[in-house]
Amino acid sequence: MELSSYSEFSFRGFKIKLKPTEKQKELFQKYFHMHRFCYNWTLAQQEYCFNNFLFGDGRGRYESKFSLAKELVELKSHPGFEWLREYDSYAEKMVVFNACDVAQQFVSAKGYLKVKYLRKRESFNKGLFFLRYEVFHLGKSSITAGRKIGVVRTERHNFIDTGDYRYITITFDGTDYWVSGLIRELKSSTHFEGHRSEPIGIDIGATQHNWIVDSTDMVVEPPDVSKLEKRIRKAQARVSKKRAINNKAFENQERRVRPLTKREKKARCKWTKLLKRRKNIFRNAIYNYTLQLVRRDPSCVVIEDLNSLLMMRQYKESHPGQTRRGKFFTKDILSARIGEFTSILTQRCNTYKIPLIKASPDYPSTQLCSQCGHRFIGEDKLTMKDRFYICPICGNTMNRDKNSSLNLKYLGYSISEEMSIPSSHYEYQNMYERVV
């Protein structure tokens, strides 16, 4: 039997909602406490070693993650730390490995290591711990997570095939428990063979107008979440009101940290559920559109390399004093979810072997005419209020987002061997970055 190389495998992720019993919830909270202790202990060891033991050139030295894992095993025999024996050694070892990788991100500009420890936040009480993947099993309506945790029911029927699991974790987001991980499987030829169709250009706009417009006349309007937004605002106001009332009643007490009341926890739980629902609505729309896009088998996909933070900063600098209008513009840009759309589209194109091109921010897709190549310069440039492109040279009149998507499509011709780029776009054919 011939062994396959590691490069022949691909990983597919999954995330399933759990329905644990009350005893299992208490056990999960104990595992979260263990994870927090091991994480903070590892960071403290790395901080002490980095700031006190230096190399010859003055750089700090990190402790080996394997030696720290051995020290943690020896720590169980010390008085006061016997409770660590109740938990799986694999879960403790994975916490140490994860904390060692995270510690390298806390080096300051002066060369010192100042870590950020995990604290028990009673407001949301988020948690995470690892499971031993050798004993993990995913059933139709439950999971088996070893001898100590046992069988945990899932929210829905599982349609995921059993296979070789990796990096299994159980997380708590403040309201629900989730199990997530990776399934290792052999790579399959999911890409299409033969002749592909023409390139597709995609323009991402603000949510108050057409959200996603591509060069194939496909328009994705933003989901209607106006009623959900009202519920979110009411829930947020209810949380802030209860917090203010409880803060006044807590002023005369000597305790430093005010514990949350049951009503305040319940209000926060409702608020977080509404926020998750709004997020899932937009994410579902993005997944449905990207799946329809890759099934059309384009030769390449072209999008703009947009930066939401940079766009908001430039708007504030160019429109000083317009705080109210800037607030609505910021909300439109953030609700467009440009980063999330780009990451999901990148994963789709990578799966189906479709080249993804990011056009440079300097590429004037909005100011160019898709028919004759005329470009608006200076004071004649289109603003956010102008929703139609009217060319003064050829008289071309079309939607602003549609015109931009056609320009991005012509930019995709520059990497295609079978098609030629229009003469009006020769000077812009190198203004792109090939991602996939």
Side-chain angles (χ1 to χ4, degrees), residues 18 28 32 127-129 131 149 168-172 177-179:
L18 300 177
F28 288 168
F32 296 154
L128 176 146
F129 68 92
L131 292 177
I149 298 178
I168 308 298
T169 59
I170 289 182
T171 57
F172 179 62
Y177 292 88
W178 302 82
V179 59

Side-chain angles (χ1 to χ4, degrees), residues 326-339:
K327 178 181 178 180
F328 287 106
F329 179 78
T330 302
K331 182 180 178 181
D332 293 339
I333 293 299
L334 293 179
S335 58
R337 303 179 183 271
I338 299 174

Side-chain angles (χ1 to χ4, degrees), residues 13-14 23 66 72 187 224 234 277 290 298 347 429 436:
F14 67 91
K23 291 184 179 180
F66 298 100
L72 184 61
K187 289 184 178 180
D224 186 12
K234 289 182 179 180
R277 182 179 301 177
T290 53
Q347 296 174 4
Q429 60 181 343
V436 180

Side-chain angles (χ1 to χ4, degrees), residues 228-229 232 274-282:
L228 185 59
E229 291 283 354
I232 291 175
L274 293 175
L275 292 177
K276 286 167 57 178
R277 182 179 301 177
R278 182 181 61 181
K279 179 181 179 181
N280 293 334
I281 290 174
F282 278 91

Side-chain angles (χ1 to χ4, degrees), residues 201-203 302 304 359 363 365 404-412:
I202 303 176
D203 179 76
V302 188
E304 293 178 306
Y363 180 67
S365 60
S404 178
S405 63
L406 288 176
N407 289 327
L408 294 174
K409 170 187 173 181
Y410 295 148
L411 184 62

Side-chain angles (χ1 to χ4, degrees), residues 54-77:
L54 305 177
F55 288 108
D57 55 355
R59 293 183 295 108
R61 181 173 65 89
Y62 291 101
E63 186 73 19
S64 172
K65 56 184 179 182
F66 298 100
S67 61
L68 287 177
K70 292 182 180 179
E71 291 181 14
L72 184 61
V73 174
E74 297 175 356
L75 187 65
K76 298 180 182 180
S77 59

Side-chain angles (χ1 to χ4, degrees), residues 15 21 33-34 66 71 83-84 123 177 179 181-182 191 205 214 235 248 255 263-264 291 317 344 373 389 415 421 430:
K15 186 175 182 181
T21 60
H33 172 68
M34 179 272 299
F66 298 100
E71 291 181 14
W83 58 274
L84 289 173
S123 58
Y177 292 88
V179 59
L182 299 175
H191 63 280
D214 60 23
K248 289 183 179 180
R255 297 175 62 182
R263 293 184 177 180
E264 195 170 356
L291 182 60
E317 293 177 356
I344 293 176
Y389 189 96
I415 65 169
I421 186 172
N430 294 325

